[in-house]
Amino acid sequence: MQRTLKAPIDCVGTGLHSGKRVAIALRPAPAGHGIVFRRRDLGIDIPARFDWVADTRLCTVLAHPTIAAARVATVEHLMAALAGTGITNAIVEVDGPELPILDGSAASFVFLIDCAGSVEQDQPAACLEVLRRVRVAGADGSYAELLPPPRNAAAEIVPGLSARVAIEFSAPAIGAQAIALHVTPASFRKELAAARTFALFANIEAMRQAGLAKGGSLDNAVVVDGARVLNPSGLRMEREFVRHKLLDAVGDLALAGVVLCATLHAHRAGHALNNRLLRQLLAEPANWRLRDGALPDFLQQPAAPPRAAGASA
Ligand SMILES: [Zn+2]
């Protein structure tokens, strides 16, 4: 069934890239509404839909197709927390162009959602079942693919995302890591929610000079220098890095606007491939079918014009 928040809840934090203090409020929304970001300072709504993704270089940025200033950056961890806790309808009010990074994982957002509580609504949640393999690849050997979901002993599809994700970094502190997980509300909370975003120490100065990561610190990211993790308290869990990559994928793929029922295989993929994967999946009606529910209201509106800049970077 569709779910929304029981009550509104507020929070204040810092934008990872802007370094600016930003306030957000998560609010309940009616069945069929979907997840919609609302720029409170501009009075403009930005639906959480894959075809409004305008940049994927360091985080996932949603932007209004014709009003460039109406954007919301770093949506993936909140989207993962909403998807991971089964919230299908919510309004996310935000005062500026970037969501707060909080602790760099989805755990703080899950905590907020738990504080607000959630309620089941009177309509089934639509499940978008992947019917055939869709694959996108990067020039560097990275790829991401969606395949039909696994089936249980009764030959019924297993709802949700069954993922196998791998990463490979030359920094020995990360190295090669893989995780296989059927993402459910329980497994999301236990295995993924607390995994933090990460950065290589060598890249941080370049990011700062490019005007990015101004709000980044050891309080909201794992920083790696060669074989060392620079955070004094170390890692929160084993293979925290690849768990975070899967967390990002859960958030990015939630921009389908409906629950994906699929198998995901990803190798060294990131926000760009995740978004290209959704675009390719949904470009061809023979790739998928909708089960149980209906598309959220905003996906029944005409699609935004395609964007080139940044979206496939
Ligand atoms: Zn992330």
Side-chain angles (χ1 to χ4, degrees):
M1 298 301 286
Q2 298 186 27
R3 295 191 80 81
T4 191
L5 298 160
K6 199 180 277 176
I9 190 158
D10 298 343
C11 131
V12 174
T14 304
L16 175 63
H17 292 300
S18 65
K20 294 206 170 104
R21 197 182 127 96
V22 61
I24 64 166
L26 310 181
R27 299 193 174 278
H33 184 277
I35 309 294
V36 174
F37 291 86
R38 176 166 295 161
R39 279 289 298 269
R40 219 159 27 185
D41 51 334
L42 304 176
I44 295 176
D45 280 359
I46 301 167
R49 55 189 282 175
F50 68 98
D51 54 352
W52 282 38
V53 169
D55 196 340
T56 52
R57 280 167 293 185
L58 287 169
C59 60
T60 296
V61 180
L62 292 168
H64 191 283
T66 55
I67 308 168
R71 62 205 319 265
V72 185
T74 321
V75 298
E76 59 272 17
H77 303 162
L78 174 56
M79 288 305 299
L82 292 165
T85 54
I87 303 290
T88 50
N89 301 302
I91 297 165
V92 181
E93 295 183 349
V94 53
D95 278 345
E98 186 178 16
L99 293 189
I101 187 68
L102 304 181
D103 71 342
S105 76
S108 304
F109 290 120
V110 169
F111 176 75
L112 277 180
I113 292 164
D114 287 347
C115 288
S118 72
V119 285
E120 194 172 282
Q121 295 172 294
D122 59 0
Q123 288 180 29
C127 156
L128 192 146
E129 180 190 354
V130 171
L131 298 178
R132 62 184 191 185
R133 180 170 172 267
V134 174
R135 179 184 172 101
V136 293
D140 54 356
S142 58
Y143 66 84
E145 60 184 16
L146 286 169
L147 302 109
R151 290 182 176 268
N152 64 18
E156 297 155 335
I157 66 161
V158 177
L161 198 64
S162 297
R164 198 180 70 213
V165 171
I167 57 172
E168 232 174 78
F169 282 79
S170 57
I174 307 175
Q177 302 191 345
I179 185 170
L181 188 71
H182 179 58
V183 182
T184 63
S187 74
F188 178 81
R189 284 170 185 271
K190 181 162 179 275
E191 307 289 346
L192 304 181
R196 291 163 295 173
T197 192
F198 57 95
L200 302 176
F201 182 70
N203 293 346
I204 290 177
E205 194 47 38
M207 282 197 277
R208 291 253 160 94
Q209 280 178 6
L212 298 163
K214 286 181 195 159
S217 79
L218 295 177
D219 292 329
N220 54 35
V222 180
V223 180
V224 166
D225 187 14
R228 289 193 307 143
V229 170
L230 300 187
N231 304 61
S233 51
L235 297 177
R236 286 181 172 173
M237 53 224 292
E238 50 101 31
R239 290 175 296 146
E240 184 168 357
F241 307 99
V242 75
R243 290 172 196 269
H244 186 81
K245 280 291 176 184
L246 176 50
L247 185 165
D248 278 342
V250 169
D252 286 339
L253 296 180
L255 295 174
V258 285
V259 177
L260 271 190
C261 293
T263 303
L264 168 72
H265 292 162
H267 182 72
R268 299 173 57 212
H271 303 303
L273 282 186
N274 293 340
N275 188 247
R276 278 176 55 202
L277 188 60
L278 274 190
R279 286 175 189 261
Q280 191 156 319
L281 171 72
L282 292 158
E284 180 56 68
N287 289 341
W288 56 275
R289 75 172 156 206
L290 208 56
R291 299 171 70 110
D292 302 331
L295 291 174
D297 297 343
F298 63 71
L299 276 178
Q300 294 176 21
Q301 298 159 10
R307 298 177 159 271
S312 58

